Amino acid sequence: MSIVRTAKITIDAAYLEEFKAALKEGVETSVRLEPGVKTLYATLSKAEPTQFTILEIYSDQEAYEAHIATPHFLKYKATTQHMVKSLELTDCVALVPEMKIK
């Protein structure tokens, strides 16, 4: 069963460009290298440019656990830890699980 969640992240405005670069590198690497990562779709709020939302979809729990143990994820966490003011993870249920991201 797929793991679906959203991550809502608020960062310190002083680190906006640094955070965007680290996030971009992290999600691109994860999607490219990890077969169990279906998507990590990151967005930035137009109204509040320090607020990010990431839609995370993993093929299963094992894929998620493998993801958070990868060197690139651990690098992202270590690099951005001081930039993050808040992080909210919400587990979700796909309403149409057979839908594919084109």
Side-chain angles (χ1 to χ4, degrees):
M1 173 178 283
S2 291
I3 303 296
V4 180
R5 73 166 25 137
T6 59
K8 293 185 180 185
I9 305 167
T10 302
I11 59 127
D12 184 324
Y15 299 106
L16 181 60
E17 294 308 314
E18 243 181 289
F19 183 81
K20 285 174 18 181
L23 180 60
K24 182 178 187 290
E25 177 184 344
V27 299
E28 286 178 344
T29 302
S30 296
V31 171
R32 185 177 71 249
L33 296 180
E34 299 177 61
V37 174
K38 299 301 183 188
T39 195
L40 294 174
Y41 195 83
T43 64
L44 171 63
S45 170
K46 284 184 178 182
E48 297 293 334
T50 60
Q51 295 180 355
F52 294 78
T53 302
I54 305 167
L55 172 63
E56 305 179 26
I57 304 176
Y58 306 92
S59 58
D60 53 31
Q61 184 66 32
E62 292 79 23
Y64 171 72
E65 291 171 13
H67 167 69
I68 61 173
T70 61
H72 50 271
F73 178 79
L74 296 173
K75 175 186 173 188
Y76 160 77
K77 288 299 277 188
T79 301
T80 62
Q81 185 174 12
H82 68 285
M83 303 174 192
V84 175
K85 292 171 73 175
S86 68
L87 168 63
E88 177 186 335
L89 298 174
T90 303
D91 290 325
C92 303
V93 175
L95 294 179
V96 187
E98 63 275 6
M99 289 291 291
K100 302 292 182 206
I101 297 173
K102 290 184 175 184

